[in-house]
Amino acid sequence: MLDLNHPTPAPRVISGAKHDWELVIGLEVHAQVATRAKLFSGASTLFGAEPNSNVAFVDAGMPGMLPVINEACVAQAVRTGLGLKAAINLTSAFDRKNYFYPDLPQGYQISQLYHPIVGEGEVLVEFGDGTARTVRIERIHLEQDAGKSIHDMDPAMSFVDLNRTGVALMEIVSRPDIRGPEEAAAYVGKLRQIMRYLGTCDGNMQNGNLRADVNVSVCRPGDYERYQASQDFSHLGTRCEIKNMNSMRFIQMAIEVEARRQIAIIEDGGAVVQETRLYDPDKNETRSMRSKEEAHDYRYFPDPDLLPLVIEQTWVDDIAARLPELPDAKKARFIADFGLSDYDASVLTADVANAAYFEDVAKGGGDGKLAANWVINELFGRLKKDDKDIGDSPIPAARLAQIVALIKADTISGKIAKDVFDIAYTTGREPDEIVATDGLTQVTDTGAIAAAVDEIIAANPAQVEKARGNPKLAGWFVGQVMKATGGKAAPAAVNALVMEKLGL
Ligand code: ADP
Ligand code: MG
């Protein structure tokens, strides 16, 4: 369910020498399907294995070997499609995309050009300023990944590692609905988040299991609205495709520099040539890789080794029934159930493991807002400093929940809680036990606090005079009492007694 109350962000505008220009971007995201075996063979997909150790005969393109579809890969594509609110095509088919490359021993890639498994869907991309953009998904198809050529191991020879050959990829093609570099990165981030929730792609960009081809064009203000109204692409500029980007930062830099290149060409009276380009981060420029005219003729045709892929609606329904709660729904629920701010809910749902941890703390501790505060500010801060993930947090959710419960019950002050957190984090002790053993229980006994207040007032007559003239100075007394009680006095009680006894 998309939240239509979000205003749409303004497109990125670049001022050329003559005019203002707007950016139009469409992404083809290649997401490695999270499965143990490849798309058409039983070989392992494990990353980082010894080169050429995870290669079945069919992956190596041995003559006479036949591909056999891996049902788990199909299920993951369907799951991803459902997560992107997309149409699932009960009949799809595989095509051969023919080209020669040393890391593609078959001489063709098996892909789905004409009949993809997933049709149209949409993704809501939200931004920190409260705006959001709905990006339409055109299609998702399944295809094989290629292997890896290695050119830097030997001065005279190149090597090829076929471990990745035949691993299943989902190509997620967006409509040209993305309007700036930040939006493009946020869109990829949202896809990654959804797929991690679904468990369909690890989304690790460094390992190359999430990569994007970025299509960029520029147009004059108003043209995009004309395109939207008519879906007529002639209102848009000619696009260039920047291949194989695997860093959020480079995606943004490449879009910016490519848009500026196109603007300069057009304002100079030239025309942008539709072509494939590569981004060079060292020089921060894009370079032509091949133009459309010299583009390969892939001579796609239906793969005769594979039957059309026919799946049952009941099977799809079964997958749909077992989908996990997705980020948008979880975020809305956190706001509604725990009273979180939009921002805190976004932070906590960014990662599914973080969200589960928070929910345990909130439920166990009995206070959602307090739990959010402790998870975001104390725990995440500490984990980040120690370069740890939530999975290896030295303090499990149940223990942080104890701390939240202790604060909520006024057993310990927020200040003492930080000490308890630190002890629990570094020693693995139970917060309840720390508080009991170390005598950290908050003093709420007003008699004891009153005595401390009296003592401080008696010892500081000059300060008392000043505070009576300027009530803001009462804070000094509160601080002194807290110090005298080793931080264990309940701050609210101290505050009330100080004001009372100073006659303020
Ligand atoms: P191809 O098969 O040549 O790659 P597609 O029609 O599949 O072409 O489009 C590829 C991508 O290019 C899609 O993500 C689409 O949104 C995007 N795209 C199409 N036209 C434009 C344009 N004028 N500006 C930016 N992106 C575009
Ligand atoms: Mg393409």
Side-chain angles (χ1 to χ4, degrees):
M1 189 187 15
L2 293 186
D3 180 354
L4 301 173
N5 298 321
H6 287 290
T8 305
R12 175 64 197 282
V13 176
I14 295 180
S15 302
K18 296 180 180 151
H19 310 288
D20 279 351
W21 298 88
E22 289 181 6
L23 273 58
V24 176
I25 300 152
L27 259 54
E28 297 160 272
V29 171
H30 297 264
Q32 184 181 322
V33 178
T35 48
R36 292 167 58 174
K38 296 182 180 181
L39 183 54
F40 298 114
S41 84
S44 166
T45 58
L46 207 66
F47 180 80
E50 186 71 11
N52 297 308
S53 59
N54 294 334
V55 188
F57 286 127
V58 66
D59 306 322
M62 292 291 157
M65 293 296 118
L66 289 175
V68 178
I69 187 94
N70 176 355
E71 182 179 324
C73 296
V74 179
Q76 291 290 54
V78 168
R79 200 169 279 126
T80 303
L82 293 169
L84 301 180
K85 304 178 191 76
I88 306 299
N89 295 324
L90 296 181
T91 301
S92 62
F94 289 98
D95 304 294
R96 286 187 182 178
K97 178 181 184 179
N98 298 280
Y99 64 101
F100 171 77
Y101 208 74
D103 60 22
L104 185 79
Q106 281 173 158
Y108 54 84
Q109 177 193 30
I110 306 178
S111 182
Q112 297 189 305
L113 178 66
Y114 303 107
H115 303 288
I117 183 156
V118 178
E120 295 186 335
E122 62 185 22
V123 181
L124 182 72
V125 186
E126 291 168 288
F127 305 95
D129 62 358
T131 60
R133 169 94 61 201
T134 300
V135 176
R136 293 169 299 162
I137 302 293
E138 184 181 319
R139 57 188 276 156
I140 305 176
H141 57 262
L142 274 168
E143 62 185 26
Q144 299 176 298
D145 205 349
K148 204 168 99 191
S149 297
I150 302 157
H151 304 295
D152 55 5
M153 267 176 68
D154 186 281
M157 283 186 288
S158 282
F159 296 91
V160 64
D161 176 4
L162 298 181
N163 280 350
R164 214 174 58 189
T165 308
V167 167
L169 298 179
M170 295 177 280
E171 179 167 334
I172 306 168
V173 183
S174 85
R175 299 273 180 199
D177 290 347
I178 299 161
R179 306 302 313 282
E182 301 77 17
E183 287 191 24
Y187 165 76
V188 175
K190 186 65 184 272
L191 281 185
R192 179 171 63 179
Q193 183 193 25
I194 292 171
M195 290 190 289
R196 282 184 173 163
Y197 267 65
L198 292 165
T200 57
C201 172
D202 297 339
N204 187 332
M205 295 185 92
Q206 282 97 339
N207 292 359
N209 67 35
L210 194 66
R211 326 191 278 270
D213 298 341
V214 181
N215 296 271
V216 181
S217 67
V218 296
C219 65
R220 299 291 309 280
D223 284 343
Y224 188 78
E225 287 68 24
R226 283 184 267 281
Y227 155 72
Q228 277 286 15
S230 61
Q231 293 300 308
D232 177 352
F233 280 84
S234 69
H235 293 295
L236 299 180
T238 303
R239 74 178 192 270
C240 286
E241 178 179 7
I242 312 163
K243 274 280 178 203
N244 237 337
M245 307 288 303
N246 66 350
S247 135
M248 295 285 197
R249 198 163 70 88
F250 291 162
I251 286 174
Q252 298 182 61
M253 290 167 70
I255 290 170
E256 178 84 29
V257 74
E258 173 60 18
R260 289 182 185 277
R261 185 189 72 87
Q262 294 180 8
I263 291 167
I265 290 173
I266 302 167
E267 291 200 337
D268 243 24
V272 174
V273 181
Q274 185 177 331
E275 61 183 355
T276 303
R277 300 179 70 84
L278 279 183
Y279 176 66
D280 178 343
D282 295 328
K283 297 200 173 126
N284 190 31
E285 63 178 30
T286 64
R287 275 198 300 274
S288 180
M289 197 174 142
R290 51 176 188 251
S291 70
K292 205 72 181 175
E293 288 80 63
E294 59 192 84
H296 307 268
D297 177 359
Y298 292 119
R299 208 168 56 89
Y300 276 99
F301 64 89
D303 192 312
D305 287 344
L306 289 156
L307 289 167
L309 178 58
V310 180
I311 56 179
E312 302 281 339
Q313 186 61 48
T314 51
W315 187 69
V316 175
D317 292 344
D318 192 46
I319 293 174
R322 286 181 291 121
L323 284 189
E325 182 180 40
L326 290 171
D328 293 346
K330 200 183 279 292
K331 181 179 159 185
R333 185 169 63 79
F334 279 8
I335 292 172
D337 289 5
F338 300 116
L340 301 190
S341 66
D342 195 275
Y343 177 80
D344 283 358
S346 289
V347 171
L348 290 167
T349 55
D351 174 273
V352 69
N354 287 349
Y357 184 102
F358 158 76
E359 199 163 356
D360 287 345
V361 176
K363 286 184 176 156
D367 189 319
K369 276 188 179 161
L370 208 51
N373 229 335
W374 276 83
V375 171
I376 296 172
N377 299 322
E378 300 302 320
L379 182 70
F380 287 176
R382 188 69 183 260
L383 291 176
K384 190 165 181 207
K385 210 172 100 210
D386 296 349
D387 200 19
K388 283 190 160 80
D389 278 340
I390 198 86
D392 31 58
S393 166
I395 177 160
R399 292 200 186 136
L400 192 51
Q402 282 178 17
I403 294 181
V404 169
L406 287 164
I407 302 169
K408 185 159 170 74
D410 263 338
T411 309
I412 56 174
S413 65
K415 188 179 167 300
I416 292 284
K418 288 194 183 182
D419 297 339
V420 175
F421 175 84
D422 190 58
I423 298 168
Y425 186 96
T426 45
T427 65
R429 286 168 64 193
E430 296 273 342
D432 286 340
E433 178 269 322
I434 297 167
V435 169
T437 314
D438 301 5
L440 299 174
T441 303
Q442 178 157 256
V443 180
T444 46
D445 167 12
T446 39
I449 298 172
V453 175
D454 287 339
E455 211 167 289
I456 307 256
I457 286 181
N460 297 283
Q463 284 287 342
V464 172
E465 262 331 288
K466 278 195 211 157
R468 289 200 170 125
N470 180 3
K472 276 189 197 149
L473 299 177
W476 183 82
F477 287 90
V478 175
Q480 292 299 308
V481 176
M482 293 305 287
K483 218 186 205 169
T485 56
K488 285 187 274 178
V494 175
N495 213 39
L497 281 164
V498 164
M499 299 307 269
E500 185 194 315
K501 292 196 183 269
L502 286 176
L504 294 171

